[in-house]
Amino acid sequence: MKPARFDYERPRDLGAALELLAGENVTAKVLAGGQSLGPLLNLRLVQPDLVIDITAIPEMIRVEQGVDHLVLGACITHADIEDGRVPDVTNGAMRDVAAGIAYRAVRNRGTIGGSLTSADPSADWVSALAALGAEVVLRGPGGTRTLAIDDYIIGALETSLATGELLEAVRIPRLSKTARWAYVKKCRKTGEFAHAIGAILIDPSAATARVVIGAIDSAPIVITSAAELFGGRITGDYKDRFDARVADVLLAKAGVSNPAHRHIHVNVLKRAVREAAA
């Protein structure tokens, strides 16, 4: 099957893109890398009147490093991150995540912003960036606003993007030197969608932890104060203190009713805890 007919525009600045997106009586879709949008067009699951290619807009490929954060434009590719063409403020965490996304051909074209806008529950950046405490910068007719990833992703394939808004950039906080990180996903084979994702960012020195359970049929479970998973406190022996029963209860509350599915998710998270402690 081939896409239905649509018009194509490649604006050179953000203002022009927003103007096109706000056009009356026009259904528009934004193209960044096309690795998510392309299949939807081919299957005619989306049939826009207009496709707006944002890859020529300077703001969408910008890289800005601050003292405590890194800003990546929405059109930065997975390969840009994997190959170290952009700075890494996560002690290698983002490079490892990028390297595990699908196949190299996908990583060459796919973008961090495109992945987040699609909000596929099994997409790597959806869970990984939530665990890293990242934020998205959204630009629309009313100006700019910033949201935490876990406020931006509100459901499976559902985001907080308002009508006429674009995801302009992602803001990633710099990890401390004492922070430990792990990201584990379960796939039947390389390149397939993940069936379970576990991500953990833990710093025993600061007694803090963020834990994410992803690839469920909704927004990821983001536990920003994760002491309950470790017997009520986060200490250096967190690997031994991890309580799988608490994780199982959280999954059940999130609507994962099948015990076998919960078992897979819990064991993936358990593996992430072990890897963070390694």
Side-chain angles (χ1 to χ4, degrees), residues 40-61:
L40 294 177
L41 290 170
N42 281 337
L43 293 170
R44 299 198 177 191
L45 295 175
V46 295
Q47 297 187 41
D49 304 310
L50 173 65
V51 169
I52 304 169
D53 183 342
I54 60 172
T55 56
I57 300 173
E59 291 93 334
M60 296 297 174
I61 54 174

mmCIF file of all heavy atoms in Angstrom, residues 40-61:
data_model
loop_
_atom_site.group_PDB
_atom_site.id
_atom_site.type_symbol
_atom_site.label_atom_id
_atom_site.label_comp_id
_atom_site.label_asym_id
_atom_site.label_seq_id
_atom_site.Cartn_x
_atom_site.Cartn_y
_atom_site.Cartn_z
ATOM 1 N N LEU A 40 3.311 4.791 8.955
ATOM 2 C CA LEU A 40 1.914 5.199 9.165
ATOM 3 C C LEU A 40 1.305 5.732 7.871
ATOM 4 O O LEU A 40 0.138 5.479 7.564
ATOM 5 C CB LEU A 40 1.836 6.260 10.262
ATOM 6 C CG LEU A 40 2.226 5.818 11.671
ATOM 7 C CD1 LEU A 40 2.178 7.004 12.630
ATOM 8 C CD2 LEU A 40 1.306 4.711 12.166
ATOM 9 N N LEU A 41 2.122 6.482 7.101
ATOM 10 C CA LEU A 41 1.642 6.985 5.813
ATOM 11 C C LEU A 41 1.407 5.832 4.838
ATOM 12 O O LEU A 41 0.386 5.783 4.138
ATOM 13 C CB LEU A 41 2.657 7.968 5.229
ATOM 14 C CG LEU A 41 2.800 9.324 5.921
ATOM 15 C CD1 LEU A 41 4.018 10.068 5.375
ATOM 16 C CD2 LEU A 41 1.543 10.172 5.739
ATOM 17 N N ASN A 42 2.351 4.907 4.787
ATOM 18 C CA ASN A 42 2.231 3.785 3.854
ATOM 19 C C ASN A 42 0.999 2.934 4.139
ATOM 20 O O ASN A 42 0.345 2.434 3.209
ATOM 21 C CB ASN A 42 3.483 2.913 3.912
ATOM 22 C CG ASN A 42 4.639 3.502 3.127
ATOM 23 O OD1 ASN A 42 4.433 4.299 2.225
ATOM 24 N ND2 ASN A 42 5.845 3.112 3.469
ATOM 25 N N LEU A 43 0.701 2.757 5.412
ATOM 26 C CA LEU A 43 -0.461 1.959 5.799
ATOM 27 C C LEU A 43 -1.759 2.769 5.799
ATOM 28 O O LEU A 43 -2.822 2.221 6.073
ATOM 29 C CB LEU A 43 -0.231 1.356 7.196
ATOM 30 C CG LEU A 43 0.887 0.316 7.295
ATOM 31 C CD1 LEU A 43 1.178 -0.021 8.744
ATOM 32 C CD2 LEU A 43 0.521 -0.946 6.518
ATOM 33 N N ARG A 44 -1.625 4.061 5.511
ATOM 34 C CA ARG A 44 -2.763 4.991 5.494
ATOM 35 C C ARG A 44 -3.463 5.068 6.848
ATOM 36 O O ARG A 44 -4.667 5.332 6.931
ATOM 37 C CB ARG A 44 -3.752 4.624 4.390
ATOM 38 C CG ARG A 44 -3.132 4.690 2.998
ATOM 39 C CD ARG A 44 -4.136 4.747 1.886
ATOM 40 N NE ARG A 44 -3.467 4.875 0.588
ATOM 41 C CZ ARG A 44 -4.092 5.151 -0.556
ATOM 42 N NH1 ARG A 44 -5.405 5.346 -0.559
ATOM 43 N NH2 ARG A 44 -3.421 5.248 -1.683
ATOM 44 N N LEU A 45 -2.685 4.834 7.899
ATOM 45 C CA LEU A 45 -3.217 5.037 9.242
ATOM 46 C C LEU A 45 -3.303 6.523 9.564
ATOM 47 O O LEU A 45 -4.061 6.933 10.444
ATOM 48 C CB LEU A 45 -2.344 4.308 10.266
ATOM 49 C CG LEU A 45 -2.347 2.781 10.139
ATOM 50 C CD1 LEU A 45 -1.364 2.164 11.116
ATOM 51 C CD2 LEU A 45 -3.749 2.224 10.363
ATOM 52 N N VAL A 46 -2.489 7.330 8.886
ATOM 53 C CA VAL A 46 -2.641 8.791 8.892
ATOM 54 C C VAL A 46 -2.704 9.244 7.443
ATOM 55 O O VAL A 46 -2.002 8.712 6.581
ATOM 56 C CB VAL A 46 -1.489 9.506 9.640
ATOM 57 C CG1 VAL A 46 -1.497 9.151 11.115
ATOM 58 C CG2 VAL A 46 -0.142 9.174 9.030
ATOM 59 N N GLN A 47 -3.568 10.199 7.159
ATOM 60 C CA GLN A 47 -3.739 10.693 5.788
ATOM 61 C C GLN A 47 -3.778 12.222 5.810
ATOM 62 O O GLN A 47 -4.835 12.827 5.646
ATOM 63 C CB GLN A 47 -5.008 10.116 5.160
ATOM 64 C CG GLN A 47 -4.980 8.607 5.022
ATOM 65 C CD GLN A 47 -6.160 8.060 4.257
ATOM 66 O OE1 GLN A 47 -6.590 8.614 3.249
ATOM 67 N NE2 GLN A 47 -6.711 6.952 4.743
ATOM 68 N N PRO A 48 -2.632 12.858 6.033
ATOM 69 C CA PRO A 48 -2.595 14.318 6.118
ATOM 70 C C PRO A 48 -2.750 14.973 4.750
ATOM 71 O O PRO A 48 -2.449 14.382 3.716
ATOM 72 C CB PRO A 48 -1.207 14.591 6.692
ATOM 73 C CG PRO A 48 -0.383 13.441 6.200
ATOM 74 C CD PRO A 48 -1.300 12.247 6.207
ATOM 75 N N ASP A 49 -3.215 16.210 4.796
ATOM 76 C CA ASP A 49 -3.227 17.016 3.567
ATOM 77 C C ASP A 49 -1.832 17.563 3.282
ATOM 78 O O ASP A 49 -1.486 17.825 2.128
ATOM 79 C CB ASP A 49 -4.198 18.203 3.725
ATOM 80 C CG ASP A 49 -5.599 17.765 4.093
ATOM 81 O OD1 ASP A 49 -6.125 16.866 3.414
ATOM 82 O OD2 ASP A 49 -6.152 18.304 5.065
ATOM 83 N N LEU A 50 -1.049 17.724 4.362
ATOM 84 C CA LEU A 50 0.248 18.389 4.251
ATOM 85 C C LEU A 50 1.261 17.723 5.164
ATOM 86 O O LEU A 50 0.970 17.459 6.342
ATOM 87 C CB LEU A 50 0.105 19.866 4.637
ATOM 88 C CG LEU A 50 1.382 20.709 4.737
ATOM 89 C CD1 LEU A 50 2.050 20.843 3.379
ATOM 90 C CD2 LEU A 50 1.075 22.078 5.334
ATOM 91 N N VAL A 51 2.457 17.460 4.638
ATOM 92 C CA VAL A 51 3.582 16.998 5.450
ATOM 93 C C VAL A 51 4.600 18.128 5.519
ATOM 94 O O VAL A 51 5.040 18.647 4.484
ATOM 95 C CB VAL A 51 4.218 15.727 4.850
ATOM 96 C CG1 VAL A 51 5.543 15.411 5.552
ATOM 97 C CG2 VAL A 51 3.272 14.548 4.983
ATOM 98 N N ILE A 52 4.962 18.499 6.758
ATOM 99 C CA ILE A 52 5.888 19.609 6.982
ATOM 100 C C ILE A 52 7.232 19.031 7.422
ATOM 101 O O ILE A 52 7.359 18.490 8.523
ATOM 102 C CB ILE A 52 5.347 20.575 8.052
ATOM 103 C CG1 ILE A 52 3.956 21.079 7.661
ATOM 104 C CG2 ILE A 52 6.308 21.741 8.253
ATOM 105 C CD1 ILE A 52 3.241 21.826 8.780
ATOM 106 N N ASP A 53 8.229 19.130 6.577
ATOM 107 C CA ASP A 53 9.569 18.616 6.839
ATOM 108 C C ASP A 53 10.357 19.690 7.606
ATOM 109 O O ASP A 53 10.633 20.767 7.081
ATOM 110 C CB ASP A 53 10.240 18.300 5.504
ATOM 111 C CG ASP A 53 11.619 17.689 5.645
ATOM 112 O OD1 ASP A 53 12.229 17.801 6.725
ATOM 113 O OD2 ASP A 53 12.115 17.124 4.655
ATOM 114 N N ILE A 54 10.736 19.395 8.854
ATOM 115 C CA ILE A 54 11.382 20.395 9.704
ATOM 116 C C ILE A 54 12.894 20.246 9.767
ATOM 117 O O ILE A 54 13.561 20.916 10.564
ATOM 118 C CB ILE A 54 10.804 20.359 11.139
ATOM 119 C CG1 ILE A 54 11.035 18.972 11.784
ATOM 120 C CG2 ILE A 54 9.313 20.710 11.125
ATOM 121 C CD1 ILE A 54 10.664 18.910 13.259
ATOM 122 N N THR A 55 13.469 19.405 8.922
ATOM 123 C CA THR A 55 14.893 19.097 9.033
ATOM 124 C C THR A 55 15.810 20.224 8.568
ATOM 125 O O THR A 55 17.022 20.165 8.797
ATOM 126 C CB THR A 55 15.236 17.819 8.250
ATOM 127 O OG1 THR A 55 14.814 17.973 6.876
ATOM 128 C CG2 THR A 55 14.528 16.613 8.842
ATOM 129 N N ALA A 56 15.269 21.250 7.903
ATOM 130 C CA ALA A 56 16.101 22.366 7.438
ATOM 131 C C ALA A 56 16.058 23.555 8.395
ATOM 132 O O ALA A 56 16.649 24.597 8.117
ATOM 133 C CB ALA A 56 15.649 22.816 6.051
ATOM 134 N N ILE A 57 15.398 23.404 9.538
ATOM 135 C CA ILE A 57 15.245 24.504 10.490
ATOM 136 C C ILE A 57 16.407 24.466 11.487
ATOM 137 O O ILE A 57 16.598 23.460 12.184
ATOM 138 C CB ILE A 57 13.898 24.395 11.223
ATOM 139 C CG1 ILE A 57 12.744 24.463 10.215
ATOM 140 C CG2 ILE A 57 13.759 25.496 12.266
ATOM 141 C CD1 ILE A 57 11.375 24.205 10.818
ATOM 142 N N PRO A 58 17.203 25.534 11.583
ATOM 143 C CA PRO A 58 18.389 25.511 12.454
ATOM 144 C C PRO A 58 18.090 25.138 13.901
ATOM 145 O O PRO A 58 18.870 24.396 14.530
ATOM 146 C CB PRO A 58 18.932 26.944 12.343
ATOM 147 C CG PRO A 58 18.455 27.426 11.012
ATOM 148 C CD PRO A 58 17.105 26.791 10.811
ATOM 149 N N GLU A 59 16.986 25.634 14.458
ATOM 150 C CA GLU A 59 16.668 25.329 15.857
ATOM 151 C C GLU A 59 16.486 23.834 16.096
ATOM 152 O O GLU A 59 16.690 23.334 17.209
ATOM 153 C CB GLU A 59 15.393 26.056 16.291
ATOM 154 C CG GLU A 59 15.522 27.566 16.396
ATOM 155 C CD GLU A 59 15.116 28.271 15.126
ATOM 156 O OE1 GLU A 59 15.201 27.654 14.038
ATOM 157 O OE2 GLU A 59 14.723 29.437 15.212
ATOM 158 N N MET A 60 16.106 23.113 15.040
ATOM 159 C CA MET A 60 15.811 21.695 15.190
ATOM 160 C C MET A 60 17.056 20.815 15.198
ATOM 161 O O MET A 60 16.966 19.618 15.500
ATOM 162 C CB MET A 60 14.864 21.243 14.072
ATOM 163 C CG MET A 60 13.506 21.899 14.129
ATOM 164 S SD MET A 60 12.614 21.462 15.646
ATOM 165 C CE MET A 60 11.170 22.518 15.491
ATOM 166 N N ILE A 61 18.194 21.384 14.829
ATOM 167 C CA ILE A 61 19.438 20.594 14.851
ATOM 168 C C ILE A 61 20.485 21.232 15.772
ATOM 169 O O ILE A 61 21.667 20.920 15.685
ATOM 170 C CB ILE A 61 20.003 20.422 13.429
ATOM 171 C CG1 ILE A 61 20.185 21.769 12.736
ATOM 172 C CG2 ILE A 61 19.121 19.501 12.607
ATOM 173 C CD1 ILE A 61 20.878 21.678 11.385
#
